Amino acid sequence: MTALISESWTRIENWLAEHAPATYAALAPPADPADIVAAERVIGRPLLKPLRMSLLRHDGLVGHGFSLLPGGYRPLSVREIVAEWQHCARYYDKSTADRAGEEEVDDHFMRVGSSFDLYGHPQVILIARDICGGHLVLDHRPEIDRGRVHNADGEGGVSRQSHEMWTCDQQLRDLLFVSKCGYVLPLLIDRAG
């Protein structure tokens, strides 16, 4: 998997360097491995390997004036992931989730496609945000949606969506990493081009 992520990043970097040099320049340097370990300690679990490997290639973006992912999302750095996770974790009501039961919450989420009960869930890690306060989250829960990217916001909770947005055309597919084991990890996309 490490080689596939590295190959994906090489394709993305090459494309950005040729077609969107300002965007290429906005790619942050690699995250410090110690920062990732510290983040995992705060979050209480290891980050999924595709996310960890991507952060070790580029720790988000330099500056805040960019929205580079489909839907206007900006990938977060390790420190931003921790800060956003801590902020959103305040909204997670474990007692309500416990009363509903994890299986019931998961079943509802799969049937309806959204769940306010999952907003701030400690195993749903924020990885990108848009200018309106919405997030992309990477599901770290051990069951059905492990490794899947969802939308999340404080009003609607977590929304399970098809990933047509991430795979709608060949150019976009070339700029995304989709592994054989079902992880969908969006990488950096330029709006112009």
Side-chain angles (χ1 to χ4, degrees):
M1 181 177 296
T2 302
L4 292 174
I5 291 175
S6 180
E7 290 168 12
S8 293
W9 269 113
T10 298
R11 280 195 319 273
I12 291 165
E13 291 160 349
N14 290 340
W15 188 91
L16 290 174
E18 182 178 340
H19 300 286
T23 301
Y24 177 76
L27 297 173
D32 183 331
D35 288 343
I36 294 175
V37 170
E40 291 172 333
R41 213 173 13 256
V42 170
I43 292 170
R45 68 198 28 82
L47 298 175
L48 291 177
K49 190 170 183 177
L51 176 58
R52 177 183 255 276
M53 298 309 300
S54 287
L55 290 167
L56 287 170
R57 186 74 173 242
H58 293 288
D59 191 17
L61 302 173
V62 175
H64 292 281
F66 298 96
S67 56
L68 304 173
L69 297 171
Y73 290 97
R74 180 185 168 279
L76 300 174
S77 69
V78 174
R79 291 179 183 184
E80 290 170 321
I81 288 171
V82 170
E84 296 283 346
W85 181 85
Q86 289 174 321
H87 172 78
C88 288
R90 297 182 301 173
Y91 296 101
Y92 181 66
D93 184 355
K94 184 166 174 26
S95 63
T96 299
D98 286 346
R99 276 196 304 277
E102 272 189 55
E103 287 182 23
E104 180 61 31
V105 169
D106 286 344
D107 182 56
H108 180 267
F109 185 59
M110 297 303 288
R111 277 186 295 109
V112 176
S114 67
S115 171
F116 196 77
D117 290 334
L118 290 177
Y119 189 73
H121 188 289
Q123 294 181 17
V124 176
I125 310 298
L126 293 86
I127 60 170
R129 75 169 158 246
D130 67 18
I131 60 171
C132 298
H135 290 90
L136 293 179
V137 296
L138 184 60
D139 199 335
H140 283 63
R141 295 174 304 142
E143 299 298 324
I144 300 166
D145 277 355
R146 182 174 181 80
R148 187 176 172 109
V149 176
H150 305 298
N151 289 51
D153 65 58
E155 292 180 13
V158 176
S159 299
R160 186 174 199 270
Q161 298 189 9
S162 76
H163 288 282
E164 293 172 7
M165 175 173 77
W166 303 112
T167 59
C168 60
D169 66 277
Q170 186 59 45
Q171 181 182 17
L172 199 51
R173 278 193 299 274
D174 288 346
L175 296 176
L176 299 177
F177 171 71
V178 183
S179 81
K180 292 177 185 169
C181 58
Y183 292 108
V184 178
L185 185 64
L187 298 176
L188 302 172
I189 309 297
D190 189 87
R191 290 182 299 195

